[in-house]
Amino acid sequence: KNEVEQSPQNLTAQEGEFITINCSYSVGISALHWLQQHPGGGIVSLFMLSSGKKKHGRLIATINIQEKHSSLHITASHPRDSAVYICAVDTSGSRLTFGEGTQLTVNP
Amino acid sequence: DSGVTQTPKHLITATGQRVTLRCSPRSGDLSVYWYQQSLDQGLQFLIQYYNGEERAKGNILERFSAQQFPDLHSELNLSSLELGDSALYFCASSVDIGGTQYFGPGTRLLVL
């Protein structure tokens, strides 16, 4: 079993829909990261969380440390949100362990 | 633009060869991380340097080595290349250990 599990693997939505991507992990962590990988391959860091909730524009990330679970929400989704979203956990302040990613496609 | 630069962008080479990938971190960042992204393994942590010293090691093969120089740029050396080494190699940097990581654009390596 992977240390970091994401669901769903693939997600197709219509423009304007509310989207949730889930991440569960099985190890103790110092922080959890949400990353976005564009079709061209570039990776952007969206959030780093160690507790609670963070919001940036239409993106919201939450984490429940006790349940070892995090969610990434996108409100009012747009075709430009189409990308792979990757959850990664930091177990030691140094090394990230990555989930397999969620491929999101938002249709106009 | 994250401020992290990587060269070259693309590299095509033959099995058995040696290549060097270069990374310049964001100004002021002391930590540099190297990651490999292949189709079958996904993203994997290779190695981390902090202020010139090796800080953590992940799934890095013995054929691979890295270093961070006094000006904080880093190089990843891949030798005796095999077909399976074909992948995207990312460098990331952060101000300190464990902070938000800023990723470079990656080097796409193809071993023929």
Side-chain angles (χ1 to χ4, degrees):
Chain A
K1 190 177 189 302
N2 292 338
E3 291 179 337
V4 183
E5 300 272 356
Q6 280 186 241
S7 63
Q9 281 189 319
N10 294 284
L11 182 55
T12 301
Q14 288 300 121
E15 185 173 355
E17 285 184 2
F18 180 84
I19 286 161
T20 296
I21 299 170
N22 295 300
C23 176
S24 296
Y25 53 93
S26 57
V27 294
I29 67 170
S30 56
L32 182 142
H33 298 248
W34 281 102
L35 309 171
Q36 179 192 53
Q37 186 165 27
H38 297 288
I43 295 176
V44 174
S45 179
L46 299 175
F47 295 104
M48 187 180 80
L49 294 159
S50 52
S51 65
K53 177 178 172 177
K54 285 190 177 180
K55 184 175 190 290
H56 181 70
R58 295 179 296 105
L59 302 180
I60 303 165
T62 63
I63 188 168
N64 185 319
I65 297 292
Q66 286 74 29
E67 294 186 5
K68 292 191 164 81
H69 181 270
S70 176
S71 293
L72 176 68
H73 305 286
I74 304 175
T75 61
S77 60
H78 190 276
R80 65 174 174 266
D81 298 325
S82 298
V84 176
Y85 291 83
I86 302 168
C87 169
V89 298
D90 186 338
T91 56
S92 65
S94 292
R95 55 184 299 165
L96 293 185
T97 302
F98 299 87
E100 292 187 355
T102 295
Q103 172 70 62
L104 171 65
T105 303
V106 182
N107 294 317
Chain B
D1 183 356
S2 67
V4 179
T5 60
Q6 287 187 249
T7 56
K9 285 199 168 84
H10 302 276
L11 199 45
I12 302 174
T13 188
T15 54
Q17 295 298 305
R18 172 189 166 96
V19 297
T20 296
L21 313 183
R22 183 187 167 104
C23 168
S24 292
R26 292 186 327 154
S27 177
D29 285 0
L30 298 179
S31 266
V32 170
Y33 311 77
W34 286 99
Y35 298 97
Q36 179 194 58
Q37 185 177 36
S38 60
L39 281 175
D40 56 344
Q41 300 275 359
L43 267 165
Q44 291 195 90
F45 167 76
L46 294 178
I47 197 162
Q48 182 208 4
Y49 282 84
Y50 176 76
N51 204 19
E53 299 290 325
E54 183 183 303
R55 173 73 172 74
K57 223 169 186 175
N59 301 323
I60 187 165
L61 300 170
E62 283 191 15
R63 299 183 285 108
F64 296 0
S65 65
Q67 55 182 327
Q68 185 179 28
F69 294 86
D71 67 352
L72 300 178
H73 92 272
S74 178
E75 291 181 358
L76 179 67
N77 300 296
L78 315 177
S79 61
S80 303
L81 284 167
E82 301 175 0
L83 296 178
D85 298 327
S86 296
L88 256 176
Y89 291 84
F90 288 101
C91 162
S93 72
S94 64
V95 171
D96 206 334
I97 295 165
T100 296
Q101 295 186 25
Y102 297 88
F103 285 75
T107 292
R108 194 173 293 274
L109 173 68
L110 181 58
V111 182
L112 299 175

